[in-house]
Amino acid sequence: MVLIKLNEAGDAFTIVQTFDVPEKVVLLKTLPNYQNAFFQGESGAVYSFLGGFKRYAEILKLPQRCEAVEVFFPASEEDVSFAPIVFGLHSTGKLYVNEKQIANSATSLCMTDKYIIFTTAQHYLKFCHLQGDPSK
């Protein structure tokens, strides 16, 4: 995997870092603040970059590869309570929080700084607060 950075004009890029990854990468996404990024492998494993994009580590493996993935980092990496929460939405409508399935008819997924938001096949819009236990 090669991470690149575009210049401000958007017409050139520089290579930031290269990595050997353990499996084929199917999804690469940055956080809204661009301070971190994560990727998902074809097995469903989700990895986070650490140390200013110098290395990466596996966060967890979702029960299946998901088409939409969001990761919430509740604290800094230096904090001992640092425990990322991974949300995954499969094309069959299964919505996962880490390894636990919490919905079976989800159709879309979005994350803000305070909520994970998803829609259902029954036309409901559901909000789950990220500060509590989102699997409840």
Side-chain angles (χ1 to χ4, degrees):
M1 173 188 299
V2 177
L3 293 180
I4 60 171
K5 181 179 180 180
L6 287 173
N7 65 6
E8 289 190 24
D11 59 359
F13 65 89
T14 56
I15 295 176
V16 176
Q17 187 73 25
T18 60
F19 297 96
D20 290 326
V21 292
E23 60 183 310
K24 182 179 176 182
V25 175
V26 295
L27 175 74
L28 173 64
K29 193 169 184 180
T30 64
L31 296 181
N33 62 8
Y34 302 108
Q35 298 302 308
N36 199 347
F38 62 90
F39 63 96
Q40 182 183 36
E42 63 185 348
S43 71
V46 178
Y47 303 84
S48 173
F49 289 102
L50 305 168
F53 296 98
K54 301 289 186 213
R55 63 189 197 286
Y56 66 91
E58 183 175 333
I59 300 171
L60 64 83
K61 185 175 179 184
L62 289 166
Q64 52 191 152
R65 185 176 75 204
C66 294
E67 284 67 30
V69 176
E70 297 286 352
V71 179
F72 176 66
F73 294 91
S76 69
E77 292 178 51
E78 292 79 26
D79 188 342
V80 294
S81 67
F82 177 73
I85 302 169
V86 178
F87 300 89
L89 175 60
H90 189 264
S91 62
T92 60
K94 293 179 182 176
L95 179 61
Y96 299 99
V97 175
N98 294 337
E99 297 92 357
K100 183 178 181 181
Q101 182 181 333
I102 63 166
N104 60 14
S105 63
T107 55
S108 68
L109 175 67
C110 178
M111 187 174 75
T112 70
D113 59 336
K114 295 183 182 180
Y115 295 96
I116 191 77
I117 306 163
F118 66 97
T119 56
T120 70
Q122 293 80 24
H123 308 290
Y124 288 108
L125 177 63
K126 298 197 175 194
F127 293 78
C128 297
H129 202 279
L130 291 171
Q131 297 306 320
D133 182 356
S135 66
K136 292 185 176 179

